[in-house]
Amino acid sequence: MDNSLSVCSSQFSLIDSVTIEKGPSLAEWTLVLFVLGTPLHFLYFKRNLSVAIVQYKFILAIFITLLGILSLSYGLRDIHDVLIGEKSPGGFILSISIVLTTILIHDESHKTQTKKKRNYRFFHIIGLFCSFGISFVFIFQKRKDTAVDFQNNWELQLTEWTTKLYCVLISVYLIESAIQVLKQVLGANQSFEKGKADKDVSPEIKASFLSRLTWSWVTPFVLFGYSHNLEPSDLWPLKPEHVSTNIIPIFDKYWEEEVEKATRERQSQEKRTIKTTTITVEKKVQANLLRCVIRALGPALLLSAFYKLLYHLAEFTFPYMIRLLIGIARDGKEEIWKGYILAILMFSVSIFKSVVLNIHINETQEAGRSNWVALTAAIYKKTLRLTNAAKQDSTVGEIINLMSVDAEKIGNCMWSVNEVWAVPLLFSISFYFLWQTLGPSVLVGLIIILLLVPVNFVLMRKSKHLQLESMNLKDARIKKMNEVLNGIKVLKMYAWEECFEKRILEIRDKELHILAGRKGIQNWMHVIWATTPFMISLCTFGTYVLMDANNVMSAEKVFVSLSLFNILQYSLHLLPHVINYFIQTAVSLKRIQNFLNNEELDTSIITRNTNSEYGITVEDGTFIWDTTMEPTLKDITFKIPQGSLVAIVGSVGAGKSSLLSAILGEMESETAKVNIKGSIAYVAQQPWIMNTSLQQNILFGEDLDKRKYEFIVDASALRKDLEVLPGGDQTEIGEKGINLSGGQKQRVSLARAVYQNADIYLLDDSLSAVDAHVGKHIFDEIIGSNGLLKEKTRILVTHGLNYIRKVDIIITMVDGRIGEIGSFDELTEHDGPFAGFMKNYLAEELSTDDEQNIVSYRKLEGKSTTDETIIHSTHSDIVHSISDNSNIPIARQMSRQTSCESESSEVLSHNTLVQEENTESGSVKLNVIMTYVRAVGVKIVIVILTMSMVHEVAEMYLDVWLSKWTRDHTNGTVNGTQRNRRLGIYGAIGLFRGVSIFITETFVTYGLIKATRKLHKNLLRNILRSPMSFFDTTPVGRIVNRFSKDIETIDDELIYQFKDVVICLLLVLCNTVIISTGTPQFLFIMLPVTVVYFALQRLYVSTSRQLRTMASAARSPVFSHFGETISGCSTIRAFQQEKRFMTESARRFDELNTRRSLARSVEKWLHIRLDWLGSIIVLCVCLLVVVNKDDISPGIVGLAITYALNVTNCIEWLVKLTTNAETNIISLERIKEYSETHTEADWIVENKRPEHDWPNEGNVEMDNYGVRYREGLELVLKSISCKIAPCEKIGIVGRTGAGKSSLTMGLFRIIEKAQGRILIDGIDISTIGLHDLRSKITIIPQDPVLFSGTMRMNLDPFDEYSNEDIWTALNHAHLKAFVIGLKDGLDHHCSEGGDNLSVGQRQLICLARALLRKTKILVLDEATAAVDLETDDLIQTTIRTEFADCTILTIAHRLNTIMDYTRIMVLDCGQIREFDSPTNLLLDKKSIFYGMSKDAGLVS
């Protein structure tokens, strides 16, 4: 107490001795000027007085803060003099008081003005400010009575200025307080009442300075999250500067500059190449992504670097203060108040470190998040512009990996960017201070580091190479998985899951082999850098004590050195992680850079001259899909008059769809000139449907015009479909239209185009998958001369010959060229390509009531066109007079059609098909952790825990041993034997620790590989065994996310975080034990600290885990939307909707980032509070040391303080690691969830396996059979009973929703029976394994699905058949000549989805598959509905000849294909209504089949 009074008296005497000989200074007039200026300011600007006061106060606060900081610097300069008693600390304390009080004043004012708190808050601090003001006024009055001249004393003048401005600020604050109180008394401030929280604005924006500094604005949210389950509506939006629409343009600007620069360099390179005569191969110049990222994020990274510099500079004050504290403890004569000051200083520096570190982390995280948003947006934008050739090089899986893995790696690397300069700085400063402490002996440690540099360089290069290989294998795995998920229905019906499971696991095994090698290298790097500080300290201390007998290990030297070694160890510990991150980031940067530098579509060949008299003009058109291939279209020149209806016809591969793509700008050309007059609407051959409501699929971004919308729905024949769908047009449509039939998807796609009200319509076989009467209705109501589009320019690719004569112009395509252009009459008058086309196929298309077709045919044959009577009384007459006009299609549909047409009404019980992803709340469940423990292996976990404990105890004992060593020189002499013993044991402990670390890391790697292999295998196995209902309601992106991001988390992070949590917990316990050994009172301090710690932990974990789970759930929609965009690129570009889709993508980014941002804010809220707890621990330990300085040795003092500083970091790291572990456990939970979903029946039932040649007859019997899609729903098939004899040909027909496909899916057990049974050759199919059933039945599906791989793999994935068998099947499928013509024959590589083959060729490959299997039962699910007439002819001919001895079940919309079948099964409402021969059914004019045939135009 006396010391404190002496300090205060010295402060007063210092200021009291000051006077000014001249007149009043400017500072003394400041208050007067303010008082005079305020009314003028108010009158001139017409402002509120309180606002003006706040402005003046803010300006004064800035000046005072700057002056206070300057004064503070003087105090820091003289701190040593203060501590040794040569100078009073008064000025220093005064400066700190001024700065802190100024911040409090500004903060309190900000709270009042912005957050509208109640006014009584002012009275809590008014007394404090008044006391300060009165005290300093008293001091100034005393100073005027003195006679000391201080005009040349800048330090005293600075103190006076600061103090005077401080008094002015207090006066301003008092005025403001009085105004606010008066307004409250008069009732003029009602807006201060508490209202509902504003969820449209982040509270961070309105938070005060101190609130933002300490993240106190997050506290209400943390408390709310602890007591409630968070919902998306509880979250507030991002700050404006963090919104995607504000981030993306900055990156785009710099990237475009880089692209322009690279383009100029390439052009210069090409000119140089032309001029040189020698042939040189120069690397293609690419736009530099790294330079772009640096330019975009440079300012943010520089700011974070400044805060990091402050943090590290503050760190180096601790060794100095430790030296002083040990000195105070050693010298019992030192005044105790110096120890108190040092304790307060260490506490203050700890608080300062915490603040600047959290600001640094926040800045780097924001930079990383901005970088991720910018890169993913750039990848998304690039995907919308890729050429076809570039798409072949970058599959969907690879592009998703770029977004989900590579871009995120680069964003996460932002924290380590500053380590590039920070680590060398820490090294340099540490070695400088070590030199000051230990002298030249530190050079030995420097030599050790220099020797390790080349070793680590070699390891780094090897690790980078392995990382690149690992990413390539990961791409291949995700690509294959994406293909499997998109073709899962075909895989199940072919019973191919096992084969593709094996292929994926083979890739995974290679990936794990690379991962094991990479982790092994990282283990060596970790061991080297973990033991490097010990080796440095061992060699340094050893050299120091051995080089001179007078060099002793004093407590000051040892613990100051240890403190510096700890700083050095931190940087060395970070170095391998930083190197690893940079290696991964370098690989990811290169991959993204290569993708972003891919060729883009050249839209310059497309012009939009609205003054042209033609709707479409194409001149000199030679178009190619890939520059390495031959042109697809050659010599294309034509002009389409505005408002014309044009038909494009031709055989398979003639270039019909390619011609539309050329008009859209999808193909490349160097010579073509294409002009489009107006906007375009496009209906693709593959109907592209979005995962949204049916209404939104039709509106496609346009506003709803109810009258127009209803009219288009009727014209598109969708009214009946809306009545069937459970939610009408608000029913959610699944990914790729899984709950719509092929015809429904076509009609929705057509309705979308019509609703856009474009000028030009490109219809690529848009009537292919609809019934005949529906096609006629759509043509008449929409496309034809009296339809909705009658005034528009329409181009229709079609094989429906009944429409051809109704068009204005016909373009005939022959081998990529235009064969003929003209009207129907013009082209039929001479024997050209069109006439040949008509001769080949028109005979099959004549309708009994279509006189015009008969006339056309006879005209081509050169016969009379007189009326003749055609009789349809016999079956043969019916067959020869079939005219299913609209169902001779090409429909390149790649969608996963649902199990049946009626699934939309049966599988859904409400409007939403795709459910929200499950988000777990609360703490981590023990069974989740135990799942991972069992995957790693209990024994391995025990070894890891034991060895971790051993090496942490060894590390602790190293410091304890040094503390004992410091006691050996107390008598002033050094015992050489004792010294050598100490040094030898110190080295042995360190060596033992290094070995234990190596053993730990080895077992960690082994456990990692074992666990991740098991978890991935279980996940894959369960997914492939899941029923189709799972895939119908689960987006592909959500499943792929499990195999990409979640598996990557298991691979790279989870086990290391578990290990680090254990190590950090052990460190906290060890530190507590060490500190308590010297100061037992510390245990009483740790008790309340521990209680507070666990309270904060529980508050934090509950909220944080919910936020991170919500963030994980928000990832899947981002990538689902991206995958959806990839499949619909052509449609999006055609409608010029790129900007809208990029906006939608940005919105989804923001939803994800909102959750991530808030999770990180909550994390920093916790960290800064834990830092405060750590600072309190440091303060308490220092005070205990000072109080007990006479009872403890200097060695114990140094050990206690060093470990007190360590425990602060350990507590913070423990919480951070625990949080990260809990966050990443979410990935484990998600994998566990999908590894335990409901699965199908067993693939093989060993004791129920049928004979090898089963079924040998092909007899099918259904007995009271019924199915439903899930429990609680009605039966979709009811009491189906029938017998199908061997070799019968059964046609299955019925209107939409009748249950046709449900019957087929029941036969394959895609959906399981609810009642009854199905017998095949006397065996109940429900009793045998699924693969035994499905492998014995052959299906030719409507969607010809191919997988990336060789032609042979697509035909025979199990390698069961010989080359001779395969060539025979290809010959019968009419593909032998085509395959022989391929360069690689059977080894020809099929691209993803078979995109490098035509639709007809793909369907013929499916036929070849069926021919190879050649089972007794063949199912055709509209197998020819997606092909043209030529391919249809080939398939039907082959089926009739090669499957003559098989039982055939055909689901048909096109009735002409089943008129020669044995019997027709007519289904209606899930029941068999009719089952007889076609002839008998047609004789009964009341039959359903007769009505369907009449609608199709087959009978009159």
Side-chain angles (χ1 to χ4, degrees), residues 804-848:
I804 291 178
R805 69 174 316 279
K806 298 179 182 180
V807 304
D808 302 320
I809 300 173
I810 298 172
I811 299 177
T812 307
M813 297 298 298
V814 180
D815 296 330
R817 288 183 167 86
I818 294 178
E820 289 181 302
I821 299 181
S823 66
F824 182 85
D825 293 333
E826 291 171 350
L827 297 183
T828 54
E829 287 177 354
H830 63 277
D831 190 14
F834 179 74
F837 177 77
M838 294 290 288
K839 285 179 183 178
N840 288 333
Y841 300 106
L842 190 58
E844 297 181 15
E845 298 300 309
L846 294 180
S847 174
T848 58

Side-chain angles (χ1 to χ4, degrees), residues 290 293-294 301 308 364 371 406 408-424 456 459-461 463-465 467-468 471 518 522 525 571 574-591:
L290 177 60
V293 170
I294 291 173
L301 292 177
K308 188 168 181 65
T364 53
N371 184 72
D406 293 285
E408 195 143 8
K409 278 186 185 296
I410 298 172
N412 292 339
C413 186
M414 290 299 111
W415 72 268
S416 60
V417 170
N418 285 315
E419 304 301 335
V420 173
W421 60 264
V423 170
N456 281 278
L459 293 176
M460 284 169 53
R461 290 192 61 182
S463 180
K464 182 177 180 180
H465 175 71
Q467 174 70 15
L468 187 58
M471 293 304 295
R518 186 160 59 87
Q522 291 177 11
M525 293 174 66
S571 61
L574 275 183
L575 198 56
H577 296 285
V578 171
I579 292 171
N580 182 44
Y581 266 109
F582 272 110
I583 289 171
Q584 295 182 21
T585 302
V587 173
S588 296
L589 266 172
K590 188 64 177 176
R591 284 159 51 85

Side-chain angles (χ1 to χ4, degrees), residues 137-149:
V137 169
F138 175 76
I139 293 170
F140 292 148
Q141 185 63 40
K142 291 271 294 180
R143 177 188 56 76
K144 291 181 180 179
D145 297 332
T146 64
V148 178
D149 182 5

